[in-house]
């Protein structure tokens, strides 16, 4: 089991021309996660769980043709299962989201677009997220406000939509050690700390955890707590959170329960995962 966090630059495009939907304004800080189509996304609040999946389809099916020039019309079909922790009920649903933008001005510094009737909001129970195209038919961005009830969002590697039943919904909802930390003027997003067994966060006790993360003086700093004295620990990093992609970046022997470590920020790196595990190289 590992303690894992994510450093990710917020999607600058979200603050631009998105139609945020009723009750949402671009003045609120926004978080984003990029997701692959054909795999479910798990979204957890204190009261409920949302299982959301976008259909994977060819680009020709995701892009809607228009006779009028300079219009990009992309859509995505989705399905969801909503688990209400208070009643134990599971509700199924589906729908379609779409972005329709017309390019009205091109300059040397960028492009100005006009929203031609996009519908991007997805609501279920106490959840409200909105969609944005990542790569037509294959990837998307899921966006939500920082003051929303969402406390954990993840796209598991080895979970299918059909495999998640009531018992697994309850396991997600019962994970008490999932917390969020946001720092560095909202330009850095930290998801975690969380202890994972496979793709699920657990409540199992563990020696050593990532308490928080922040950016200071051009470096990403980790604060570690709960370390066992004289225990070997390794901090590993990866550009993507999947098996076989982790590399050790720092090893140490804990002399006290707390430990701080920093990693210089790479110029062209905007996403990096970190985790801590007990043991020597």
């Amino acid at each position: 089991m590992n303690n894992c966090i994510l450093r990710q630059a917020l999607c600058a495009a979200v603050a631009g021309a998105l139609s945020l939907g009723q009750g949402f304004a671009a003045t609120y800080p926004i978080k984003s996660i990029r997701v692959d189509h054909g795999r479910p996304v798990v979204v957890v609040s204190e009261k409920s769980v949302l299982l959301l999946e976008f259909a994977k389809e060819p680009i020709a099916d995701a892009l809607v043709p228009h006779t009028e020039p300079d219009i990009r019309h992309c859509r995505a079909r989705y399905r969801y299962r909503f688990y209400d922790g208070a009643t134990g009920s599971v509700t199924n649903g589906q729908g379609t989201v779409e972005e329709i933008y017309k390019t009205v001005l091109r300059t040397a510094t960028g492009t100005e677009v006009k929203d031609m009737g996009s519908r991007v909001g997805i609501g279920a129970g106490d959840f409200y997220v909105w969609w944005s195209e990542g790569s037509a038919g294959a990837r998307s961005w899921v966006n939500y406000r920082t003051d929303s009830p969402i406390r954990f969002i993840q796209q598991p590697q080895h979970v299918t939509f059909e495999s998640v039943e009531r018992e697994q919904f309850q396991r997600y909802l019962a994970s008490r050690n999932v917390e969020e930390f946001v720092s560095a003027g909202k330009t850095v997003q930290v998801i975690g700390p969380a202890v994972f067994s496979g793709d699920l966060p657990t409540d199992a006790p563990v020696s050593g955890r990532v308490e928080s993360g922040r950016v200071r003086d051009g470096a990403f700093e980790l604060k570690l707590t709960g370390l066992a004295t004289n225990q070997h620990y390794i901090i590993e990093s990866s550009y993507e959170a999947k098996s076989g992609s982790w590399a050790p970046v720092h090893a140490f022997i804990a002399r006290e329960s707390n430990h701080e470590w920093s990693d210089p920020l790479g110029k062209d790196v905007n996403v990096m995962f970190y985790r801590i595990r007990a043991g020597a190289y």
Side-chain angles (χ1 to χ4, degrees):
M1 291 187 293
N2 299 291
N3 200 273
C4 181
I5 69 170
L6 161 66
R7 162 180 102 202
Q8 178 180 351
L10 296 181
C11 179
V14 172
L18 275 184
S19 172
L20 301 183
Q22 184 176 4
F24 282 71
T27 55
Y28 286 91
I30 295 167
K31 292 185 179 182
S32 306
I33 180 174
R34 194 183 76 169
V35 301
D36 292 321
H37 290 201
R39 290 171 44 210
V41 182
V42 178
V43 191
V44 184
S45 72
E46 291 186 359
K47 300 178 181 179
S48 54
V49 182
L50 176 67
L51 189 72
L52 174 66
E53 183 180 78
F54 296 97
K56 187 173 184 178
E57 53 190 357
I59 295 179
D61 294 335
L63 293 180
V64 181
H66 281 259
T67 56
E68 190 175 352
D70 294 325
I71 290 183
R72 183 174 180 86
H73 184 171
C74 185
R75 63 186 177 190
R77 295 180 294 110
Y78 67 87
R79 57 177 175 170
Y80 70 84
R81 302 188 73 198
F82 172 77
Y83 174 76
D84 187 327
T87 64
S89 63
V90 177
T91 305
N92 297 304
Q94 60 184 354
T96 301
V97 283
E98 58 183 345
E99 284 184 332
I100 314 171
Y101 289 115
K102 180 179 180 179
T103 299
V104 295
L105 179 65
R106 289 187 176 91
T107 67
T109 58
T111 301
E112 181 181 337
V113 298
K114 178 182 179 181
D115 190 331
M116 303 295 289
S118 301
R119 297 181 300 110
V120 297
I122 301 173
D126 57 340
F127 296 105
Y128 186 92
V129 301
W130 61 98
W131 170 86
S132 182
E133 178 195 352
S135 177
R139 292 184 181 88
S140 294
W141 289 96
V142 173
N143 313 294
Y144 61 99
R145 271 181 22 183
T146 55
D147 62 345
S148 75
I150 294 173
R151 65 188 180 98
F152 173 66
I153 184 167
Q154 177 198 37
Q155 184 163 61
Q157 293 289 321
H158 305 294
V159 173
T160 64
F161 189 90
E162 290 76 13
S163 69
V164 180
E165 301 293 342
R166 185 173 281 103
E167 180 179 353
Q168 192 151 332
F169 277 124
Q170 293 170 345
R171 290 178 63 197
Y172 275 112
L173 195 60
S175 57
R176 300 182 187 89
N177 66 334
V178 178
E179 303 172 13
E180 289 187 320
F181 294 86
V182 178
S183 61
K186 302 181 182 66
T187 61
V188 168
Q189 172 178 321
V190 177
I191 299 177
V195 179
F196 290 87
S197 176
D199 289 310
L200 282 174
T202 76
D203 290 328
V206 65
S207 168
R209 59 177 281 156
V210 177
E211 180 66 24
S212 64
R214 67 175 181 176
V215 170
R216 188 175 67 174
D217 298 331
F220 187 70
E221 296 185 343
L222 297 179
K223 182 179 180 181
L224 310 174
T225 61
L227 304 174
T229 305
N230 296 323
Q231 169 72 55
H232 288 261
Y233 290 97
I234 299 173
I235 297 174
E236 298 176 322
S237 70
S238 174
Y239 294 110
E240 49 188 338
K242 69 178 184 179
S243 300
S245 64
W246 296 93
V249 292
H250 179 58
F252 66 98
I253 299 175
R255 301 305 181 191
E256 53 187 61
S257 61
N258 297 332
H259 182 78
E260 292 189 6
W261 174 81
S262 64
D263 189 27
L265 292 170
K267 266 188 177 180
D268 301 320
V269 176
N270 58 12
V271 176
M272 182 68 76
F273 296 83
Y274 292 94
R275 71 183 184 185
I276 180 175
R277 65 177 176 88
Y281 275 112

